[in-house]
Amino acid sequence: LHELIRKNHKVASTSEHTSRVKKLAGPLVRRSKRKGITFTFTVLDSAEINAFAHIGGFIYVNTGLLEFIGGDEELEFVLGHEVGHVELEHCSRRLTYAARASELGGDLGGNLVQMSYHLISAGYSEEDEFAADEWGFRQLVAMGRDRKRALALPRRFVEKEKREGRRKEKAESPTAVEAVVQGIDNHF
């Protein structure tokens, strides 16, 4: 799945962004209680204000998000949120459900990667999103971060949506794979 995402999305060429992300994510990753997960952080060269995680501890941050955020505290919130999805097993739980459903239909075979890719584009439930926010926020507070500053980014998103409205572009792609790629781009 990681290779498919890297194939369909341009990886940022600068290591400065990746170093910053890894440095800020380090304390959050160390707070994870899941054993056997090696977190991998990738910065994608995309103007979309977005970040997402998938099974196995893979976390992606778009350059558009890095340009939008107002500082390290805001980036820490995003990273806490994405680590929270992995920590709370949102990624693996959704894939397990999809695999079981597919297995019942007799179509499991080599479709797990495509299934995982589709699940990312579908996004998490509102409940999972709030749970990931809460996990990240609690970790930041436990690390001594100021509560108000820890919530600065969600407030900025609310203000941005008020100013610009929420926009989701429709995929104009003729193939299912391209539609799923567009779905990931539209994740937020």
Side-chain angles (χ1 to χ4, degrees), residues 7-19:
K7 177 182 170 192
N8 287 308
H9 295 79
K10 185 178 176 188
V11 175
S13 58
T14 176
S15 61
E16 179 183 325
H17 289 316
T18 305
S19 296

Side-chain angles (χ1 to χ4, degrees), residues 46-122:
S46 171
E48 293 287 327
I49 299 172
N50 195 10
F52 60 95
H54 72 73
I55 194 165
F58 290 88
I59 296 176
Y60 304 85
V61 178
N62 287 357
T63 53
L65 176 71
L66 295 174
E67 292 167 6
F68 175 77
I69 60 171
D72 287 351
E73 296 90 359
E74 292 184 8
L75 182 53
E76 280 182 319
F77 180 85
V78 171
L79 296 170
H81 173 92
E82 299 306 336
V83 171
H85 278 307
V86 176
E87 176 70 13
L88 298 171
E89 300 183 11
H90 295 158
C91 313
S92 57
R93 189 175 55 225
R94 291 182 70 225
L95 181 59
T96 299
Y97 293 152
R100 286 183 182 153
S102 181
E103 192 174 56
L104 291 173
D107 192 22
L108 185 57
N111 293 330
L112 284 176
V113 170
Q114 286 295 339
M115 200 180 311
S116 300
Y117 202 67
H118 176 70
L119 289 172
I120 291 169
S121 71

